[in-house]
Amino acid sequence: MLGCGGGGVGLRYRLTLATGLVECLCFAGVVFGWASLVFVLKTDGYFTDLCVNRTTGPNSTVETDCSGQDEQFSLVFTVTSFMNNFLTLPNGFIFDRFGTMATRLLGICLYTTGTLMVAFSSSALSMLLFPALSFIAVGGILFLITNIQVGNLFGSHRSTIITLYNGAFDSSSAIFLIIKVMYEGGVSLRSSFLILSVCSVIHLLRTFFLMPNTHIPYPLPEGFTYGVSPGKSNSYNVEEIEKTRETGMTSEGEGLAETDDMPLQPDDGQQSEDSGKVASFRSCVQSWFFLWHLVWLSVMQLRHYLFIGTLNPMLNRLADNDSALVSQYTNAFAFTQLCGVLCAPWNGLIMDRHKGKPLAPGETDKEADLRSSSLSLFLTSLQCLLFSICASSPLLPLQYLTFILQVLNRSFLYGGNAAFISMAFPGVHFGKLYGLVMSLSAVVSLLQYPCFALVKGALGGAPFYVNIALTLLTLLAFIHPINIFYHCRKLTNQREDMAGGAAITLAEAKINPIFHQYVLLDSCQ
């Protein structure tokens, strides 16, 4: 329950939840408001040296070709989005190894450095955008990684909170819209980013007072505390708690229950029910669940990144370079991003819909979680297919619908990604697995730049064939939810067969005890 815990502990949990939501909403994913920032950067003259004047037509009309400028901006976003995801792997190891405080301090340093670099950049120092935006992106994803564990404080709403935070991460892209509006109102780009730099004080306060030094375990021990408290200290050793759960025993009188990070099958990369041991990181990575989840995330993420990175030139093409119309659609896109925090909890509710209901005979909590996740993963794949079809259309008014589908799908995508990894694999590997899947998907996302170059070059600015190819590619995402659905169905059939066999054996024993004894002796031999 959201009100779990009593007195000061429950209040601290709720403050952690609320401030974490604000942190993700205002800072974590601002780089994905790139389309709004590009509008400001172009006005300030960044990369204008790449624009060339060309003489066209019989009247020798001089036109300015800024395709080189667009390509450079696309490269900035490609590098930024790649670093955002690829460095999640070492960041995940840092989080698992050194804990929350060390990870957050690293993120704050990177984020503040990036915002200061943008603040003191200029058209003459346009190349500063490459490291600056990368630092902001990596710092922001570290904020998200350390906040995802807050869902562990509210057991029955765990997936809902994880998806809520990921939705807030998506909605934070609207911060660049605010910067764009302030810029049009006379506030300089430097002033806006200096304000973002000063806000790092808020991140420091949360780190020391409202976040743990190490990790928040799941399931949560009774009376779990964290942060700086007068007269109290956090004596919880999360690593010892995890080891205790592996053996199902308690230590120091804490009365810890056995973890339900139990496997469905050893092949799923979770944990062997027979051995009672947590699966190794390697076995998790080699499981079919992980591999198909990687494909599911990669193909949809590539579609989103290419759309965001090429949105400004696409709108210019569809609006015949009408700057007022481009600004109108850019603002509309940024406004829809605010809805990410509202859309994401829907996905969490879908994943948590089975909580509080009795399990089927013989069914484990982990199996019930996976069964619920299959619907979420399927809906996310369907949303991406519809979004890609609309984005491929050359009709400018239809892009309003594209914006809505994009923010809905993106909020489902990243929230579902984090929630699935947290429920399908042992919690001790969460940071590493989350980092690895984001890093590997980042390698796939590098294809966005050659796609953009192909459109600008061989295809003469017409992205139709690239859009069709990406739409067909998104069909691969449907394999993951179908695989999970049939996996859960297979387990259900196995339970029913075992239950039916036990019932038949019991009936035979009642009818013919001598026959039953013969069967038992034969089975022992």
Side-chain angles (χ1 to χ4, degrees):
M1 294 177 60
L2 287 175
C4 65
V9 175
L11 176 62
R12 174 162 294 189
Y13 289 0
R14 290 189 288 272
L15 283 174
T16 300
L17 173 64
T19 54
L21 183 62
V22 172
E23 184 173 76
C24 290
L25 185 61
C26 297
F27 304 99
V30 293
V31 293
F32 295 102
W34 177 245
S36 298
L37 185 62
V38 165
F39 192 90
V40 176
L41 295 173
K42 281 187 174 182
T43 306
D44 267 359
Y46 284 73
F47 297 122
T48 50
D49 56 309
L50 298 177
C51 294
V52 294
N53 293 325
R54 292 181 179 176
T55 303
T56 60
N59 297 327
S60 299
T61 304
V62 177
E63 293 183 354
T64 302
D65 181 8
C66 288
S67 59
Q69 182 190 36
D70 288 336
E71 189 170 343
Q72 195 72 353
F73 279 127
S74 178
L75 183 59
V76 171
F77 183 75
T78 299
V79 171
T80 298
S81 57
F82 172 76
M83 298 298 288
N84 174 75
N85 288 353
F86 186 75
L87 290 184
T88 307
L89 175 58
N91 290 337
F93 275 92
I94 291 172
F95 177 62
D96 284 347
R97 176 66 180 83
F98 298 103
T100 303
M101 180 175 290
T103 307
R104 285 183 61 82
L105 291 176
L106 173 62
I108 292 168
C109 289
L110 291 173
Y111 196 91
T112 307
T113 301
T115 52
L116 287 174
M117 290 178 74
V118 175
F120 292 102
S121 67
S122 64
S123 58
L125 299 172
S126 300
M127 297 303 291
L128 277 179
L129 293 177
F130 283 96
L133 270 295
S134 296
F135 286 163
I136 293 173
V138 176
I141 199 67
L142 285 173
F143 292 154
L144 178 63
I145 289 175
T146 55
N147 277 306
I148 284 175
Q149 62 182 327
V150 174
N152 295 347
L153 297 173
F154 309 95
S156 61
H157 300 280
R158 185 187 184 200
S159 295
T160 302
I161 291 173
I162 290 174
T163 54
L164 178 65
Y165 273 12
N166 278 271
F169 178 88
D170 295 337
S171 294
S172 64
S173 59
I175 295 299
F176 279 174
L177 168 65
I178 297 174
I179 290 177
K180 174 179 176 291
V181 173
M182 291 172 62
Y183 179 85
E184 293 172 338
V187 179
S188 68
L189 188 66
R190 173 171 297 182
S191 299
S192 297
F193 275 87
L194 285 176
I195 292 172
L196 287 178
S197 302
V198 172
C199 287
S200 294
V201 175
I202 300 174
H203 308 316
L204 286 172
L205 292 175
R206 284 200 75 243
T207 299
F208 291 114
F209 292 97
L210 292 175
M211 295 296 286
N213 291 337
T214 54
H215 304 92
I216 300 175
Y218 181 81
L220 197 68
E222 185 178 353
F224 177 75
T225 60
Y226 52 87
V228 178
S229 298
K232 294 183 180 180
S233 63
N234 184 356
S235 61
Y236 289 92
N237 187 315
V238 177
E239 287 72 21
E240 289 184 2
I241 290 174
E242 293 292 344
K243 289 179 181 178
T244 300
R245 285 177 181 150
E246 291 177 25
T247 60
M249 299 176 64
T250 61
S251 64
E252 300 180 6
E254 292 174 1
L256 295 175
E258 183 178 355
T259 178
D260 73 347
D261 272 338
M262 301 294 288
L264 299 178
Q265 288 181 353
D267 182 54
D268 298 330
Q270 296 177 42
Q271 173 181 331
S272 174
E273 285 184 294
D274 296 330
S275 65
K277 295 181 180 179
V278 173
S280 67
F281 174 69
R282 180 178 179 180
S283 65
C284 292
V285 173
Q286 292 176 342
S287 67
W288 282 109
F289 274 9
F290 182 85
L291 294 176
W292 283 122
H293 186 70
L294 174 62
V295 173
W296 177 84
L297 176 65
S298 297
V299 296
M300 289 191 282
Q301 181 173 260
L302 174 62
R303 188 67 188 98
H304 281 274
Y305 279 3
L306 186 65
F307 177 76
I308 296 172
T310 61
L311 180 61
N312 185 264
M314 182 195 78
L315 292 178
N316 275 296
R317 178 175 55 85
L318 296 181
D320 294 327
N321 293 313
D322 184 337
S323 60
L325 198 56
V326 171
S327 178
Q328 174 186 330
Y329 274 84
T330 301
N331 289 348
F333 173 73
F335 275 121
T336 58
Q337 301 306 297
L338 285 170
C339 298
V341 70
L342 303 177
C343 299
W346 302 349
N347 194 18
L349 293 173
I350 291 173
M351 287 190 161
D352 286 337
R353 70 186 188 279
H354 65 288
K355 298 291 179 66
K357 298 179 181 179
L359 298 175
E363 185 180 39
T364 63
D365 289 333
K366 189 65 67 177
E367 183 183 345
D369 287 342
L370 282 174
R371 182 165 41 80
S372 292
S373 72
S374 62
L375 175 60
S376 167
L377 298 173
F378 178 82
L379 290 176
T380 305
S381 305
L382 182 61
Q383 291 164 4
C384 187
L385 179 62
L386 297 176
F387 151 66
S388 186
I389 292 173
C390 291
S392 304
S393 171
L395 300 176
L396 185 59
L398 186 62
Q399 299 315 306
Y400 286 121
L401 177 59
T402 304
F403 298 160
I404 294 172
L405 289 172
Q406 191 271 340
V407 70
L408 178 64
N409 182 234
R410 192 161 180 266
S411 62
F412 268 60
L413 176 64
Y414 290 106
N417 170 48
F420 178 80
I421 292 175
S422 69
M423 67 174 57
F425 302 101
V428 292
H429 300 313
F430 173 79
K432 297 183 287 292
L433 290 171
Y434 182 81
L436 181 60
V437 76
M438 295 296 285
S439 297
L440 294 176
S441 66
V443 176
V444 178
S445 72
L446 288 176
L447 292 173
Q448 63 182 300
Y449 184 71
C451 287
F452 182 82
L454 177 64
V455 170
K456 285 292 183 181
L459 298 180
F464 178 77
Y465 292 107
V466 170
N467 285 331
I468 293 299
L470 289 174
T471 301
L472 294 176
L473 189 64
T474 59
L475 295 176
L476 291 175
F478 287 92
I479 297 177
H480 185 37
I482 292 174
N483 177 50
I484 293 175
F485 175 79
Y486 278 105
H487 171 81
C488 294
R489 187 174 180 179
K490 179 181 178 181
L491 291 177
T492 301
N493 291 337
Q494 288 176 351
R495 286 199 313 271
E496 292 175 351
D497 290 343
M498 291 177 63
I504 292 173
T505 303
L506 182 60
E508 289 175 344
K510 292 179 179 179
I511 296 172
N512 192 344
I514 298 176
F515 173 78
H516 179 60
Q517 291 175 5
Y518 173 78
V519 171
L520 289 177
L521 289 172
D522 186 61
S523 63
C524 292
Q525 293 173 358

